[in-house]
Amino acid sequence: MNMTVLQGLLIPFLGTTLGSAGVFFMKKEMNKQLERSLTGFASGVMVAASIWSLIIPAMEESSGMGRLAFLPSFIGFWIGILFLLCLDCLIPHLHMHADKAEGVHSKFKRITMMVLAVTLHNIPEGMAVGVVYAGFVTGKAEITAGGALALALGIAIQNFPEGAIISMPLRAEGTSKGKAFLYGMLSGAVEPVGALLTIIAAPLLVPYMPYFLSFAAGAMMYVVVEELIPEMSEGEHSNIGVIMFALGFTVMMALDVALG
């Protein structure tokens, strides 16, 4: 594994770490409008990344199937949706501003379940980066170094607000700044680990690359629709969330085209 790939795998984790560090510089509680803006931006980035960096390359890779070129993407996308649905039902986690935990019953502390909620979001993002870099490393998919970097940067950009969104509420609940930062940072550790495992398994993934690309897209879209958009639209005056969604979408789209 060369240094370019290793840096690409660590870039998203850096985004989470920098976002979590916001707990040292911001007030004890995050402004609701700011939280909504950051969530909207993250949603836009993830949707654009799913389309430009994952689904479109998956369809291009399947172009030899003619009119059925959509089929691997269709199948992979649905498997990704169902996979995240299963994780959502099984892993005990607690979302911000929620009083009731989701997943199987557990005796985990509230803080632990809040961290697990964000970790659950980060699983498909780590998979997406890993699959794209696997395609680049093997040279079997129409993915360039620039295209892989664009996805890594896009995920890092949307991880920045996610890091802040997990560390700030923890601080507001009485957790020390150091622990809030650590928990926020650790919530993103699943991304480089998942991506690295995907790279190691790259030779086995090559024949099924379109399925895995669209699988990652489906998993990310599940997170966006089931969690992020409802949080972005919660309450009154959600216009800022929509505007930031559009900004995140266009930033990711521009990155993919400019670097790809």
Side-chain angles (χ1 to χ4, degrees):
M1 184 182 302
N2 60 40
M3 188 58 65
T4 299
V5 175
L6 183 60
Q7 290 173 347
L9 299 187
L10 291 176
I11 286 174
F13 180 63
L14 178 62
T16 304
T17 302
L18 292 175
S20 300
V23 74
F24 295 113
F25 309 103
M26 301 172 70
K27 295 180 180 179
K28 194 170 183 179
E29 292 187 11
M30 183 180 293
N31 178 273
K32 183 64 180 176
Q33 286 294 82
L34 175 59
E35 184 180 309
R36 181 178 287 151
S37 299
L38 295 176
T39 303
F41 184 86
S43 301
V45 169
M46 290 179 72
V47 171
S50 296
I51 297 171
W52 267 270
S53 299
L54 298 170
I55 293 178
I56 291 178
M59 289 189 174
E60 290 176 345
E61 183 71 8
S62 306
S63 59
M65 297 178 66
R67 292 184 178 181
L68 294 179
F70 71 89
L71 196 57
S73 296
F74 182 95
I75 295 172
F77 187 88
W78 267 105
I79 295 175
I81 291 284
L82 296 174
F83 176 72
L84 256 290
L85 176 61
C86 289
L87 291 184
D88 201 24
C89 293
L90 294 175
I91 297 178
H93 60 283
L94 181 68
H95 296 289
M96 288 181 303
H97 314 304
D99 297 320
K100 185 177 180 181
E102 298 181 19
V104 297
H105 177 71
S106 75
K107 295 183 179 180
F108 290 156
K109 294 182 178 179
R110 180 179 175 85
I111 292 175
T112 301
M113 289 195 289
M114 289 179 70
V115 173
L116 284 174
V118 177
T119 302
L120 185 61
H121 290 184
N122 288 335
I123 290 174
E125 296 161 18
M127 290 165 45
V129 173
V131 169
V132 167
Y133 269 101
F136 165 66
V137 169
T138 58
K140 299 298 183 179
E142 299 297 323
I143 297 172
T144 64
L149 177 61
L151 178 63
L153 286 173
I155 296 297
I157 290 172
Q158 74 92 26
N159 277 353
F160 182 85
E162 280 197 352
I165 286 171
I166 185 63
S167 64
M168 293 301 295
L170 290 176
R171 174 59 180 155
E173 293 199 359
T175 307
S176 68
K177 288 185 177 181
K179 284 188 176 181
F181 166 71
L182 181 63
Y183 287 139
M185 180 180 69
L186 290 178
S187 71
V190 67
E191 291 190 17
V193 172
L196 182 60
L197 291 176
T198 306
I199 292 289
I200 294 173
L204 301 176
L205 303 183
V206 170
Y208 312 102
M209 190 61 67
Y211 295 93
F212 281 99
L213 287 168
S214 51
F215 171 89
M220 288 211 296
M221 289 296 287
Y222 178 90
V223 171
V224 171
V225 176
E226 206 272 337
E227 301 293 349
L228 299 185
I229 288 181
E231 291 175 8
M232 175 190 83
S233 306
E234 185 181 22
E236 300 178 351
H237 309 298
S238 59
N239 295 17
I240 185 65
V242 177
I243 292 172
M244 292 302 291
F245 176 94
L247 178 61
F249 186 93
T250 51
V251 165
M252 184 62 222
M253 177 178 65
L255 276 175
D256 190 82
V257 175
L259 296 179

